[in-house]
Structure formats: structure tokens, C-alpha cells
């Protein structure tokens, strides 16, 4: 029994530890308004308040804290992307994740169990080798492994599904997972401790812009003046940007996931197949989580569909035939803002004082810490773009300088 | 045996006894029993241990709606014992126990529950840094329920589509009444019932002092339904979700029906709700409806001495049921001050049953057998959740409890319905359903039997009207005035263990403390405490949680709400959703010949293609000798997988002009031209050869894996441009080979006599139509492998014939087949790029020296604007040819090209070439590394860096004289 639990057993009254403070009235003005109390928005608030001495911050959330894609993603953490820009960025994120529980004094259950991606074609083997090499180049731990090594790592895996036998695997030792909700709560708790106000059920409806500079946000609870604004509203990024007439090449698709009942542990690493478009992991509760590709048509909706479930679970059984008898318990969806190059949009916008944290597609959760940290640096410096996120600016599309991660994103998330 | 005489036992067949085992002990049951009912008949109530504290658990609902009955079968974990049909020889074991079910060593965890408050795992296990890595495996081992058998082989499951005018979900009185009324009105009705028999609550509940009301009504309705020509019944079938537009997945046996219903009526009924008090999870404590199910469906006597705890009049009727079954009823404990039905209490008291109104069970007490109920402590209610000090102890081995009903709202919420809580009824009701979906019966707040029947008719009439069918007018049912829900059936105890969520072992204080920690939104309460996340998905915890959270945060229950109910309604096997394995792949018309010739096959998109001919371990030798053969003599490769698009119409040339970078308007009939395709962002996405067969007719090839995308994109663009052109994907209609090598003309001459094959008559890049081996063919003189060669396309049915004819004709010339890998080597020697191998998601034409393939004078093609912008920027990287001496470490495709500390590119193709006598390859390198003669560092396996020499492409036959022979 860990010491930290003793107080609960030994005190007569429940020692209440307030993680998320009770609601307050909105003030008339804040130095920084962050739209979206998901992982990204809260992380930005936290790093601003902890490392930059800025705590006159309102984080506005139209629903409940962490209820958007932070709540809906399948919690994959990895850095084995393809481009130098991407790998450098995500490697920093993985490093921050490793420390978060202790930084928060709140267990986010970061678990570095490794991620295995399967290659079924020679083209994928080529692409994986490149990703392994790029990852190693920047200090990550990724190896190409053969069928025998895969068999040892995941004995229950079917290496010969249908007519597409597994040829090799991309073994990302740094890959892992964490309790996704807890990441948002940890950031919220520590930001709130430093004076950041988190306002749930507060929806931003419009902006006041003067001379190309944002001056205030209009909400369902009144107008708030602000020094600057950060938008971090994955899933509805384009809708918010429309209000400011900022054009971005974002197309929004639902992304579905599903989970079984809990079973005794049998699968340690996260396993995904590039050809079967299926991703599988067993959570610390023992449930098996499945994810796959985005829905085939754009939609701002979190409905579930049967079609996706049918194809995804058929693939799951190809990979792990014995799961045929496992029972599915829940199916849900998030909304993903896809960009043409499968990289995020971070940094400045055409409006002064309006900072973008958007285009997070299916890769947002794993970037939460580094995104918060770099966005905080951007805000604190009054708009000086940190080097790490410079490649991800919105203007890269008009400059034709995309950061293409398509091949490294697909079904691995 | 605890069995009651007939007519009890609707589902069991007493003539078919079955033997099975539980935890190694042989038990008896009947056909029609579930595992749980048979065990109950054997006097076994203890079925499982709870998830967290390993508390003993027995049946709660007897309807497959709770996690207490989860057991393990040899091949299947987490089986609901109260749903699983009994079968002879079934070997059932308990799951998630450490030791035995009776003596579970992990039960000690419960005594430390104070040290494990809600969300305790967020507060510990991470100090000092890195400790979670140690704790996690231990905690994971304790988590999870049953064990998945990793050697299990999937069994047969399939799918079928069904269509109907009206789907009625649930065959209780409301569903039966709705189905009949709609069918009488002319609608084709599909009636879906989860249980093996129709009737819903009519099969187990009691609707009045007269015990026979339900049985008579059921017989009448069921016989009308079963004989009805317009009604199809699916029983033992669960509708597991509602998807957009009444798309309903219904699981029956090993089949998933995918139902498309024009209209849908959900008559799913309501779930009996537990009362929350200390030890409300003790075996022997069950929902009132569970005891009634045991008696009427399975003829099992649920106990010897019972107490009924109720929040409505139904408890009194259940007490009469128990009495009829020979159970001593020690008391009815009614949480209300009075009954709604005049004379009811008096009538029950007249049977000798003591009634205590305004009282509750405050604590359930274990008996001599610590794992079963022995008595209850009842107290007078003194306010919301408060009780008097004075207590009365009543000995009993059965406690039936019901605090009221919760509509079975899951499908309705999936359809977008919202729940609203009416304080005056202390119940949720559903609003905002789509027009094609209606509710009837107790899910719609009707509980009185006559009102339920009328409500079914009302819903059916509305559906008929929407179907455009004549409906006989019916008087709808007004809402019941009676209140079936007790508003606050939650009684906190200083020592806790009053379970709100049985699945997750959550007590009242866990829910309340979650709100005190700041998790005030009900969604956050769920996520922090895990309430409702277990196998029963909140069926019994949603209502008390909403009430507790509302109370703790000073909001109304409506404002608080419940968490979203997502599909599926009940746990579904992956096998049901996956269905039969579907593994589509394609083989060319010549596939048999490749197999006969010993080809090593490889997947290429959806196709199977020969990589080379020989054993996998002889790859290098096979490739080199096949390649040598093509260079020196003649080879034959099956290229049927290439995409083929037929483009016809007055604007055919215009379409190609816009889709591809080159110009095609001036292409002469009988000529071919390389066709490079870019996307709007200037990225190279496909290539092929465009052949002009006529003024208005082109035949265009595309890459094997790209053709579907190319075709789709042509259709899309043409829809925008509205050109006068027809586009057909004819990939599957043609089989094709490439006959290549210096002797290829001589081979072809033997089987093709109606085409002038002379270099002048059929020059390089020419196109001819003629007969090859007697079948109509399109012949293209193209040179992917850099030799004299002919691509021959024939109707697919002649593929094998063509192959055989060429192999025969080539026998004198020592013709040999060659595979894809050999072809890749040959084209690499020529420096020809393969789209998607030597290009990536960023490659634009200038990077691969394809500027020559762009029609500069054209006003437009897809990607033109971007390419012009990109070409005006300094080139960052370039695809270069490189060589390394034979014997040097060979770079693999994907290895990196370095520039100082940075990555400047990657190897895209690399092989040893016997023809060149060196390792040759192509790689992206920095633009300043791309001059022939420069050295580029490549990091190969094991981190070794080799210095490759950049060379001018191609590696072989720089003047390209051989292909033009």
C-alpha cells in the first residue's frame, strides 16, 4: 500500500483534494483567453502559469472539461513519425509525458509498453525502415523487427492474416499510453492552483476584432476583453476560424473507436496493422480498445456507424482470431480536423493576438504536453514562434512547405 | 431441488433434464434453463466475485442485465449466467477469483476499501518517479474479469439483410399490441424479442390481485401475432443499436441481421431499479422482477423467507406471487407513506403479510453463511435518505427490492433522444426522437396494463399514417397519474458499502466524493469514478448517480442528466459483427501458369503477382539470371495488373490534357505517350501511358495500386468540367504481358502476322491493333525495362492463351518469364522511377527530373499553378542515382542520406546489378549533394555510414538505344 493512500484510511473525514475548482463568475477581462478546455488548452494554460508567470487566464469550454477529443481518443503516445520536423516535435512530447505524473502530483498512468506496427507489403517495409531510421536519428527508440521477433513479442498475434502475411514490424519501444482524461485533469488542477480560471459550459460565439487585432471574445455568458486568444478546439477548429474569416485547409471527419469488456491481461504492447487499418491495445483495466481509419466522408458529428464497426472488428479478428469471442461493450466517435499533410497547424494567424492550435486530426493527444509548452512560449513572447513549431504554421500551405506525415499516420494514430 | 410445480416454469422443459458442472461440481437442470436458473434450482446463489473488492455476488436481474452473473466458459469469458442457455455437459467456472469462489483471498481488498477512495489510483503509485512501471503490472493483474482463451478458433457467424415497413423492438404488451395493430393496418412488421418467448413483462410480472390476468392476455396476443401473415417474429434476438435512418443490427444465434425499417417502434420496457443501502449486493438480495422471473420462467423458488422492499404498488403484488409459490413473506417494506391503490395493503395484510409503510431496509445482514442474506435491518424513513435510530431486524434469506423503473432508453439516446427528469414522477422520460421512431409502453411512461396496450396501438397508428396506410382511429393512452418511482431510494450508512454501481463496486460516498473533488459534471463523475463503465453500462447506476450528483452539486436531476448511452445495447461478440472472414484478392488470367512455373508470389495492392520464379531463398540468383536473360535474350512478364482506362468522346484529348502534365491533343493516332499525373498540390501521384486509338478514343494505363484513385479522380474532375467524354475502368477486361529483350521481335513475329513489326513499320512508342496468336490485341512499344519490347493487351479471357502462345513461340529463343522484382531491377538500371516507391507524398516533378514530362504551353492541368510556384523556389532535395562498389554494405530502401548532423534524404530503390557490376540505387539527397561525382553518406544497417557516389542516370545504356531497336 503506497503511503499516499494512508490518509484516506486513517482520517475520519474524507480528505477532499479539489482537482477541479467550482465554477466562478466571468471577469470582464483576462490577459489570455484560451478557447477549449481540452488537454491542449489546459496544457497551454498550465505552462503559461507555471513557467511564464502569466496566470490571468480564462480557459473557456462549451461543454465539460476534457469532453472533446481528449475524452474520445485512444490514448496512443508515440514519436515514430516520418519527417524530421515531426519526429523532433513528438519526441519532445514523449519526454514530457514521462514526467507528467510527478509534475502534476497526479497519476496519469503513463505506460511505456511499446507500440508495434505491422507491415504486410514491401512498400510498407520501406516506409517503416525510414521511420525507424529517422526516429533513431533524433534519439528515439525504434527498430525494424522480423516475424520471429514479432512472434516473441506478441505470441497471440496471427502473422498470416488472409493473403497478406506479416513481413516485418516497426517496434517503437518509446510508444505507450496514458489515462487520457487524467492528462487533462492534471493540467487543469495545476493550472487552477496557479490562478487560471476554467469556465465550463461557456461557449465562444463571436469575436471583437479591431485593426486586425483580437480585442474580446463574445460568449453565451457575456463579452470578455482579452490581451490575446488561443484557440484549441479540436474537431470544430474550422468553425471557429470561420468566425474570423481565417481560411485553413481543414476537412473534418469522424473517427470511431470501440472497447470490449475487461479481460485478464494478455497483450502488453499496442499493436496496429497498416494493411488491415486496425489498431489494438489492452488498457490497464483489461478492456481491449480498437481504432481504425477515419470515416470516409466529412461530418461534424459523433454518431457511431455499423459499417465502420463491421470492417474494424473483421480486421481485429484477422489479427487476433481468438478475440472472436470477446464482447464489445461500447462504440464512440470523435471529430478530427484533418490537414492535407497530416501535420498540425500551430502558431500565428492573420489576426494579431489570435494564436492557432488546430488541425490535430488523429494525432492530437500524443502532442498534448509539447503543444501546451510551445504554445505557452508563443503566447508569452507575444508572438515569437518557437523553433520546434515553426514548420507547422498556417502559412506553410500558401508557401507550399508542407510537412507530410500521411504515411506515418493512417491507422496507427 | 427448488422447483415449483407447473404452470410455473414457462421456459423449462421438465422432460429434458441436463447435467452440467459449475466450479467442478455436477449439477442438474432442464432444457430451457439458463445456467443461473439451474444453479438457483440447485440452491447455488453465489455466482461471482465483484470487480474490485471481490465481494460475493448472486443474481440481481435474472435478465442478463447485470455483471453479477458473469462466469467463464472454457472458450468464452464474461458469459452472463442468467442469459446463457443450459446445455448438456457445459463446464462453467467462476472467474476473477483468487482461490475459490467461496474463499477468495482477494476479498481482503474490501476491508481496505477506506484506503482506496474514488479515483485512488490517481493519487498514488507514481512516486518516486518511474514507480508506475512497477505498480502497473500488479494492478493490471487484479483488473480484468474473465480469461480469453488465446488458442480459440473462431466459429461460423454470418449476416443477412432484412427489410420491413415497421420494426417493433420488444414484445411486451406494448410491442405485441403495436405489432398487431400495425399488421392489421397492412404494414409488414418485424417483431424483435430478446427472450425465447414473446410477452415481455406478461411472462413474469403480476398485474393485479388476480394472478392469471397476464397469462390470459399473453396467450391471446401471442397467438394473434404468431398467426399473422404480416408479422415476422425474431425471438431470442437482440436489437443492439439504433443507427441513422432506422438501420438496426439484430443479433440472433450466430447471425447478424441488418434491418432497414421504414418506421420503428421501441417498446423496450423499463429496468427495475435497485434500492441503495448497506450490503445491497449480498446474494439473496435481488430485484423484485428477478424473483418473479425465477418463479414464472424457471419454476425456481427464490427463497424460503422473503422481505419485499418497494417504492410502488408492484411490490405488494410480488409479495402475493411469493406467497403463492410457498415462500413465507416476512414483510412488505414500502418506502412510501401510503399505497396508490385503495385496498391493496389491506388485501395483502389479509393474507397474513405484515406491511411497513414509510420504512426501508437500512442494511442487509449476512446469515450463518456469510455469503448469503440472513436478515434485514429495517428503519423508519425520516427524510431524504435519512432513517430513524430504532431498528427492527427481520430474518430472511430473500430480499426483493424495487425502487421503481428506468426506461430502457439506450436505443433512443443513440437516435438522438434526450432524457428529461420529471420531479413529480421522479422518473426520466425521452424527448426529441426522430420522426421515424416512436416509443410505446413503459419506456414511454405507461405502466398500467390497459394504458400500455392503448399506447402500443397509438404508436402503431402514427406509424401507419407515416407509412401512408389507413389506420383505424384509436384513443391514445393518457399518462399514468400513479408514481412508480420512489424519489430517493438511497440510504447512506456510516460504514458504507451501499452500492450504487455493482459492476465497479462504487458506493454512495464514491459518487459524492467525486463531485467534491471537482468532478461535477455527470460525464466527469463517470470518467473519474468509472460509474457506468462496467459491463452493465449503467443500467442500474445511471438513475441513482444522476440523483446523487444533482443533490451534491445543487442542480436538478434533469440538468445533471445521465451519461451518453452508446452502442451496443448489450455486449456483443466480435464474431457477430465481423461475420464471415472476407479476404478479397485478385489473380490475373495467367496466374495458374505462374504457380506451375514455381513463382514466388507477392501481394501487389489487391493482386497476387510473381516476384520472381524460384524459391524465396534464391531471390538474388533468380533475379540476376532473369534480368540477364531479358538483357541478352527475351523475357516475358505478366503486367495484367496495370490499370486500364478507356476514354472516349469528342473531349477525350481535352480531358487527358487537363488530367496529365503532358500534352495529348497533338498525339497522333497510333502513338503512345508517357502520362504523368500530379495532384493540386503539385505532388506526383500516378503515371502511365496514354495510347491514341482514334481521334476520340484513348486507352490510358495507370499504376496497379493507383488505378482506382485515378479513375475516381477523373470522374470527379469530369463532373466539374462537364466535358463530353466517357470514362471506363477496363482494368479487369484486359490481360497484358510485356515481351522484352533483344529477341522479342523475333518471338512476336511468330504469333503476329497482321502487323508490320519492322522498326520502321512499328517504331518505338508506337501503338498497333492486330491479332496475336489469333486473338485481338493492342500492342504498345514501350520500354520500361530499357530493351526492345512489346506490351500486348488482349481481352482478359485470352490471357492464358496469350501467355502459352508466347512461351511456345519463344521456346526456340530460350524465352523465360520474369517477375516484378526483376522488373524493378531492370527499370532501376534504366533510372525509371516507380511512383510511390521513388516518390512520396511531397515529390514534385522537378525533384525527380520530370520537367520534360510537363507541357509548358498548356493553359491548365491539375497541379500546374503549384508546380510553377514550386519550381520558382530553390530545390531542396533531388532524386539521384548512386553507386557503391560490389561488396560494400548494401543500403536498404528506407535508409537515410545524411548531410552533417541532418537528414537530407532517403534511399528509395537499391539493388546489386550484375549488368552494371555494382550496387546501384536511387535516393533523395540535398540539392547541393546531387551533382554527379559527389559523395553522399548513407547510414546503413547497424549504424554504419557508407559513402556512395552520385552518378548520372541511367546506369545502363545511357543513350537508350536498346529500346528503340
Amino acid at each position: 500500500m503506497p503511503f499516499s493512500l494512508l490518509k484516506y484510511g486513517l482520517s475520519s473525514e474524507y480528505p477532499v483534494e479539489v482537482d477541479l475548482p467550482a465554477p466562478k463568475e466571468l471577469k470582464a477581462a483576462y490577459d489570455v483567453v484560451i478557447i477549449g478546455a481540452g488537454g491542449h488548452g489546459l496544457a497551454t494554460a498550465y505552462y503559461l502559469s507555471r513557467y511564464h508567470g502569466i496566470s490571468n487566464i480564462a480557459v473557456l469550454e462549451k461543454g465539460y472539461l476534457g469532453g472533446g477529443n481528449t475524452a474520445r481518443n485512444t490514448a496512443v503516445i508515440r514519436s515514430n513519425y516520418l519527417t524530421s520536423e515531426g519526429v523532433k516535435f513528438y519526441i519532445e512530447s514523449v519526454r514530457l509525458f514521462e514526467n507528467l505524473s510527478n509534475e502534476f502530483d497526479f497519476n496519469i498512468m503513463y505506460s511505456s509498453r511499446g507500440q508495434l506496427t505491422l507491415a504486410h507489403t514491401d512498400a510498407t517495409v520501406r516506409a517503416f525502415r525510414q521511420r525507424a531510421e529517422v526516429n533513431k536519428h533524433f534519439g528515439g527508440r525504434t527498430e525494424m523487427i522480423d516475424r520471429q521477433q514479432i512472434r516473441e513479442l506478441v505470441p497471440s498475434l496471427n502473422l498470416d492474416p488472409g493473403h497478406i502475411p506479416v513481413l516485418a514490424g516497426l517496434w517503437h519501444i518509446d510508444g505507450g499510453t496514458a489515462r487520457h482524461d487524467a492528462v487533462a485533469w492534471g493540467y487543469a488542477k495545476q493550472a487552477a492552483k496557479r490562478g487560471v480560471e476554467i469556465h465550463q459550459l461557456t461557449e465562444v460565439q463571436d469575436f471583437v476584432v479591431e485593426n486586425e487585432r483580437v480585442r474580446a471574445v463574445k460568449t453565451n455568458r457575456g463579452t470578455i476583453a482579452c490581451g490575446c486568444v488561443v484557440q484549441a478546439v479540436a474537431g470544430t477548429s474550422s468553425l471557429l476560424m470561420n468566425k474570423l474569416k481565417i481560411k485553413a485547409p481543414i476537412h473534418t471527419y469522424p473517427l470511431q473507436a470501440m472497447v470490449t469488456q475487461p479481460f485478464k491481461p494478455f497483450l502488453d504492447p499496442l499493436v496496429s496493422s497498416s494493411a488491415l487499418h486496425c489498431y489494438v491495445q489492452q488498457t490497464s483495466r483489461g478492456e481491449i480498445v480498437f481504432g481504425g481509419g477515419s470515416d470516409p466522408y466529412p461530418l461534424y458529428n459523433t454518431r457511431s456507424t455499423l459499417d465502420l464497426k463491421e470492417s474494424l472488428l473483421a480486421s481485429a479478428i484477422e489479427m487476433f482470431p481468438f478475440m472472436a469471442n470477446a464482447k464489445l461493450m461500447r462504440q464512440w466517435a470523435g471529430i478530427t480536423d484533418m490537414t492535407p499533410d497530416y501535420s498540425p497547424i500551430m502558431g500565428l494567424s492573420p489576426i494579431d493576438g489570435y494564436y492557432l492550435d488546430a488541425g490535430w486530426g488523429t494525432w492530437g493527444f500524443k502532442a498534448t504536453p509539447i503543444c501546451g509548452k510551445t504554445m505557452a512560449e508563443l503566447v508569452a513572447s507575444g508572438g515569437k514562434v518557437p523553433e520546434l513549431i515553426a514548420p507547422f504554421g498556417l502559412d506553410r500551405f500558401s508557401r507550399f512547405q508542407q510537412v507530410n506525415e500521411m504515411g506515418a499516420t493512417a491507422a496507427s494514430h | 431441488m427448488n422447483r415449483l410445480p407447473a404452470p410455473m416454469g414457462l421456459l423449462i422443459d421438465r422432460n429434458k433434464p441436463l447435467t452440467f458442472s459449475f466450479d467442478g461440481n455436477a449439477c442438474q437442470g432442464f432444457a430451457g434453463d439458463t445456467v443461473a436458473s439451474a444453479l438457483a434450482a440447485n440452491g447455488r446463489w453465489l455466482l461471482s466475485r465483484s470487480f474490485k473488492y471481490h465481494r460475493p455476488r448472486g443474481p440481481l436481474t435474472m435478465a442478463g442485465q447485470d455483471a453479477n452473473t458473469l462466469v467463464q466458459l472454457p472458450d468464452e469469458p464474461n458469459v452472463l449466467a442468467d442469459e446463457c442457455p443450459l446445455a448438456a455437459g457445459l463446464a462453467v467456472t467462476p472467474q476473477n477469483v483468487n482461490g475459490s469462489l467461496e474463499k477468495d483471498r482477494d476479498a481482503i481488498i474490501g476491508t481496505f476499501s477506506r484506503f482506496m477512495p474514488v479515483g485512488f489510483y490517481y493519487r498514488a503509485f507514481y512516486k518516486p518517479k518511474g514507480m508506475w512501471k512497477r505498480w502497473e503490472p500488479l494492478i493490471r493483474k487484479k483488473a480484468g474479469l474473465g480469461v480469453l482463451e488465446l488458442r480459440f478458433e473462431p466459429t461460423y457467424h454470418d449476416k443477412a439483410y432484412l427489410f420491413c415497413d415497421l420494426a417493433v423492438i420488444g414484445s411486451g404488451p406494448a410491442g405485441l399490441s403495436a405489432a398487431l395493430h400495425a399488421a392489421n393496418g397492412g404494414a409488414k412488421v418485424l417483431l424483435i424479442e430478446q427472450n425465447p418467448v414473446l410477452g415481455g413483462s406478461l411472462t413474469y410480472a403480476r398485474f393485479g390481485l388476480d394472478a392469471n390476468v397476464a397469462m390470459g392476455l399473453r396467450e391471446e396476443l401471442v397467438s394473434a401475432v404468431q398467426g399473422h401473415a404480416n408479422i415476422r417474429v425474431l425471438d431470442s434476438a437482440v436489437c443492439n443499436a439504433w443507427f441513422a435512418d432506422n438501420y438496426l443490427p439484430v443479433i440472433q444465434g450466430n447471425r447478424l441481421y441488418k434491418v432497414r425499417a421504414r418506421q420503428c417502434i421501441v417498446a423496450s420496457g423499463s429496468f427495475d431499479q435497485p434500492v441503495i443501502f448497506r450490503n445491497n449486493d449480498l446474494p439473496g438480495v435481488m430485484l423484485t422482477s428477478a424473483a418473479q422471473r425465477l418463479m414464472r420462467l424457471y419454476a425456481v423458488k427464490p427463497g424460503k423467507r422473503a422481505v419485499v422492499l418497494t417504492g410502488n404498488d408492484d411490490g405488494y403484488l410480488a409479495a402475493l406471487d411469493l406467497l403463492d409459490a410457498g415462500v413465507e413473506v416476512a414483510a412488505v417494506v414500502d418506502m412510501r407513506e401510503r399505497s396508490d391503490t385503495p385496498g391493496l395493503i389491506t388485501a395483502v395484510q389479509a393474507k397474513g403479510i405484515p406491511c411497513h409503510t414509510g420504512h426501508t431496509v437500512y442494511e442487509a445482514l449476512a446469515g450463518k453463511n456469510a455469503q448469503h442474506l440472513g436478515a434485514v435491518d429495517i428503519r423508519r424513513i425520516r427524510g431524504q435518505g435519512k432513517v430513524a435510530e430504532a431498528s427492527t431486524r427481520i430474518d430472511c434469506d430473500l430480499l426483493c427490492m424495487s425502487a421503481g423503473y428506468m426506461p430502457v432508453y439506450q436505443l433512443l439516446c443513440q437516435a438522438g433522444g434526450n432524457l428529461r427528469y420529471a420531479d413529480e414522477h421522479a422518473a426520466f422520460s425521452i424527448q426529441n426522437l426522430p420522426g421515424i421512431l416512436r416509443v410505446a409502453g413503459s419506456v414511454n411512461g405507461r405502466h398500467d396494463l390497459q394504458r400500455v396496450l392503448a399506447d402500443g396501438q397509438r404508436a402503431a397508428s402514427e406509424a401507419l399514417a407515416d407509412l401512408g396506410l389507413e389506420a383505424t382511429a384509436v384513443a391514445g393512452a393518457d399518462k399514468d397519474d400513479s408514481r412508480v418511482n420512489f424519489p430517493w431510494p438511497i440510504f447512506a450508512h456510516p460504514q458504507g458499502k451501499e452500492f450504487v454501481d455493482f459492476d465497479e463496486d462504487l458506493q454512495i460516498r464514491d459518487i459524492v466524493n467525486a463531485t467534491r473533488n471537482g468532478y461535477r459534471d455527470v460525464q466527469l463523475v463517470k470518467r473519474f469514478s468509472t460509474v457506468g463503465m462496467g459491463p452493465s453500462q449503467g443500467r442500474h447506476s445511471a438513475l441513482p448517480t444522476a440523483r446523487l450528483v444533482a443533490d451534491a452539486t445543487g442542480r436538478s436531476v434533469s440538468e445533471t442528466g445521465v451519461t451518453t448511452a452508446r452502442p451496443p445495447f448489450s455486449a456483443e461478440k466480435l464474431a457477430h459483427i465481423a461475420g464471415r472472414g472476407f479476404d478479397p484478392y485478385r489473380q490475373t488470367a495467367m496466374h495458374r501458369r505462374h504457380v506451375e512455373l514455381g513463382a514466388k508470389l507477392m501481394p501487389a495492392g489487391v493482386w497476387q503477382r510473381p516476384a520472381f520464379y524460384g524459391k524465396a531463398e534464391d531471390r538474388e540468383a533468380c533475379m540476376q539470371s532473369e534480368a540477364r536473360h531479358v538483357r541478352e535474350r527475351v523475357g516475358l512478364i505478366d503486367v495484367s495488373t496495370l490499370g486500364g482506362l478507356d476514354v472516349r468522346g469528342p473531349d477525350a484529348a481535352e480531358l487527358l490534357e487537363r488530367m496529365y502534365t503532358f500534352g495529348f491533343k497533338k498525339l497522333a493516332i497510333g502513338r503512345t505517350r508517357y502520362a504523368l499525373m500530379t495532384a493540386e498540390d503539385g505532388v506526383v501521384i500516378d503515371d502511365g501511358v496514354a495510347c491514341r486509338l482514334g481521334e476520340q478514343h484513348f486507352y490510358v494505363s495507370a499504376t496497379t495500386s493507383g488505378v482506382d484513385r485515378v479513375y475516381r479522380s477523373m470522374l470527379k474532375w469530369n463532373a466539374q468540367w462537364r466535358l463530353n467524354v466517357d470514362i471506363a475502368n477496363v482494368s479487369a477486361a484486359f490481360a497484358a504481358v510485356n515481351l522484352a529483350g533483344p529477341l522479342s521481335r523475333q518471338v512476336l513475329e511468330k504469333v503476329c502476322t497482321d502487323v508490320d513489326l519492322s522498326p520502321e513499320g512499328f517504331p518505338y512508342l508506337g501503338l498497333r491493333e492486330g491479332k496475336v496468336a489469333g486473338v485481338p490485341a493492342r500492342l504498345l512499344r514501350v520500354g520500361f525495362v530499357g530493351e526492345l519490347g512489346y506490351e500486348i493487351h488482349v481481352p482478359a479471357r485470352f490471357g492464358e492463351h496469350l501467355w502459352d502462345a508466347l512461351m511456345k513461340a519463344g521456346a526456340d529463343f530460350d524465352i523465360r518469364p520474369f517477375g516484378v522484382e526483376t522488373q524493378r531491377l531492370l527499370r532501376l538500371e534504366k533510372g525509371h522511377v516507380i511512383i510511390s516507391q521513388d516518390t512520396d507524398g511531397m515529390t514534385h516533378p522537378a525533384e525527380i527530373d520530370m520537367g520534360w514530362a510537363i507541357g509548358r504551353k498548356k493553359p491548365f492541368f491539375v497541379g500546374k499553378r503549384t508546380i510553377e510556384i514550386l519550381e520558382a523556389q530553390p530545390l531542396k532535395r533531388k532524386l539521384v542515382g548512386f553507386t557503391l562498389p560490389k561488396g560494400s554494405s548494401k543500403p536498404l530502401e528506407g535508409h537515410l542520406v545524411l548531410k552533417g548532423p541532418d537528414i537530407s534524404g532517403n534511399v528509395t530503390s537499391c539493388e546489386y546489378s550484375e549488368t552494371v557490376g555494382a550496387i546501384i540505387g536511387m535516393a533523395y539527397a540535398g540539392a547541393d549533394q546531387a551533382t554527379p561525382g559527389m559523395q553522399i553518406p548513407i547510414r546503413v544497417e547497424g549504424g554504419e555510414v557508407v559513402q556512395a557516389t552520385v552518378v548520372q542516370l541511367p546506369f545502363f545504356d545511357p543513350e537508350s538505344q536498346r529500346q528503340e531497336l
Side-chain angles (χ1 to χ4, degrees), chain B residues 614-919:
Chain B
K615 293 201 182 91
E617 56 270 29
D618 300 331
R619 175 181 181 272
E620 187 67 25
C622 292
M623 276 173 58
Q624 298 298 344
S625 93
E626 286 174 16
R628 192 168 56 235
H629 212 80
V630 174
R631 293 271 177 249
E632 292 171 2
R633 303 193 68 80
V634 58
L636 185 67
I637 181 170
D638 179 357
V639 295
S640 305
T641 63
L642 273 180
L645 300 165
D646 221 40
V647 182
R648 290 176 198 251
D651 292 331
E654 179 64 28
L655 178 82
L656 301 190
E657 195 85 352
R658 298 189 194 183
M659 290 297 309
Y660 290 97
T661 58
F662 241 163
F664 297 94
K665 277 191 175 162
K666 291 183 189 149
L667 183 65
I669 296 168
R671 294 286 291 172
T672 66
R673 178 169 258 194
Y674 180 68
L676 183 72
M677 183 177 274
T678 53
E680 287 161 290
D681 57 2
V683 171
V684 172
I685 51 172
D686 208 79
D687 70 350
V689 170
C691 314
R692 192 158 206 170
L693 290 160
E695 190 54 38
Q696 300 188 1
H697 185 193
F698 286 84
Y699 177 56
V700 190
S701 65
T703 59
T704 298
S705 51
V707 61
D708 291 332
R709 188 171 64 156
V710 170
Y711 176 57
R712 217 164 38 229
S713 128
M714 279 189 183
L715 293 179
K716 187 199 97 175
W717 282 113
N718 192 38
Q720 285 192 27
W721 297 332
R722 300 178 184 216
L723 296 176
N724 190 358
V725 60
D726 287 316
I727 307 156
N729 185 350
V730 295
S731 305
F734 286 93
V737 294
N738 186 12
L739 179 69
L743 304 179
S744 55
R745 182 179 290 125
Q746 287 159 264
V747 174
L748 188 57
E749 277 167 353
K750 294 184 73 171
V751 287
C752 174
T753 50
D754 60 348
V755 176
D756 174 5
L757 294 175
S758 69
E760 304 74 33
F762 187 6
Y764 183 59
L765 298 183
L767 158 75
R768 295 294 179 268
E769 290 180 276
K771 286 206 162 142
V772 175
V775 300
R778 291 173 180 172
L779 297 103
L780 287 58
R781 266 202 67 182
V782 290
F784 191 46
V785 300
E787 296 294 334
L788 171 68
Y790 300 88
E791 222 175 78
I792 307 166
H793 297 241
V794 298
R797 66 182 182 283
F798 297 125
E800 205 173 81
H801 170 77
L802 175 71
W803 178 272
D804 290 345
L806 288 169
M807 288 298 282
K808 193 173 159 214
D812 296 345
F813 304 93
D814 195 17
I815 192 169
R816 278 186 60 182
F818 65 103
V820 178
E821 292 236 54
T822 308
Q823 180 183 243
R824 282 188 191 161
L825 167 62
L826 290 165
R827 67 82 209 183
L828 175 59
E829 290 170 350
K830 288 299 297 173
H832 291 154
V833 299
I834 295 179
I835 305 299
S836 86
Q837 174 167 347
D838 302 302
T839 68
D840 57 32
M842 297 291 284
T843 306
H844 58 94
E847 291 180 337
I848 52 172
D849 268 335
M850 282 275 192
W852 58 268
I854 294 170
R856 303 282 166 186
K857 290 180 190 153
K858 289 202 288 185
F860 172 81
F861 61 86
V862 177
K864 179 168 198 278
R865 175 178 170 269
T866 316
I867 287 172
E868 282 166 0
I869 294 169
L870 287 169
E871 286 185 346
Q873 295 178 359
L875 201 59
K876 273 195 191 157
R877 61 168 192 172
K878 207 163 172 294
L879 189 70
V880 300
F882 68 85
T883 60
L884 277 161
K886 181 180 183 179
S888 148
S889 300
K890 190 179 108 180
L892 300 176
E893 292 155 359
H895 278 151
L896 301 181
V897 177
L898 306 173
K899 190 166 76 182
D902 298 325
I903 299 168
S904 60
N906 56 286
V907 175
T908 62
S909 296
C910 187
E911 280 296 346
Y912 172 70
S913 161
E914 211 175 85
T915 309
V916 179
I919 294 169

Side-chain angles (χ1 to χ4, degrees), chain B residues 3-21:
Chain B
R3 294 283 186 182
L4 302 168
M8 294 290 130
L10 182 66
L11 296 181
I12 57 166
D13 182 348
R14 293 171 210 252
N15 297 318
K16 289 187 187 153
L18 298 172
T19 304
F20 68 107
S21 73

Side-chain angles (χ1 to χ4, degrees), chain B residues 323-456:
Chain B
L323 203 63
D324 290 348
V327 179
E328 181 188 347
V329 181
V332 173
V333 181
D334 189 342
M335 292 180 282
R336 304 169 301 169
E337 285 301 328
R338 64 189 64 80
S339 151
D340 291 333
T341 314
L344 181 65
I345 297 184
T346 329
V348 171
Q349 280 170 330
K351 304 257 184 185
I353 301 175
C355 298
H356 308 267
T357 53
H359 279 67
T360 186
V361 170
Y362 183 54
E363 181 178 359
L365 304 159
K368 258 183 272 165
N369 168 3
Q371 289 162 355
H372 200 86
L373 179 70
V376 291
D377 169 0
I378 72 163
R379 308 226 178 164
R380 176 136 200 95
I381 298 173
R382 290 281 183 224
Q384 178 177 297
K386 294 196 173 61
V387 295
E389 281 298 312
S391 88
T392 311
R393 181 189 160 108
I394 305 177
D395 288 341
C396 59
D397 66 344
L398 170 65
L399 174 64
C400 301
M401 61 174 170
S402 174
Y405 301 100
M406 182 71 164
V408 180
Y409 60 85
Q410 282 74 2
L411 298 185
L412 305 167
C413 283
Q414 291 159 22
N418 310 120
L419 289 183
R420 208 186 62 194
Y421 190 80
D423 286 310
E424 67 276 19
H425 283 98
F428 276 109
S429 61
I430 295 135
Q431 338 281 324
N432 295 334
L433 292 172
I436 52 172
L437 181 58
R438 291 177 177 79
V439 287
S442 70
V443 69
N444 195 29
R446 270 67 174 176
H447 295 277
D448 167 79
L449 194 50
Q450 291 314 314
R451 286 191 171 91
V452 166
L453 295 170
D455 200 37

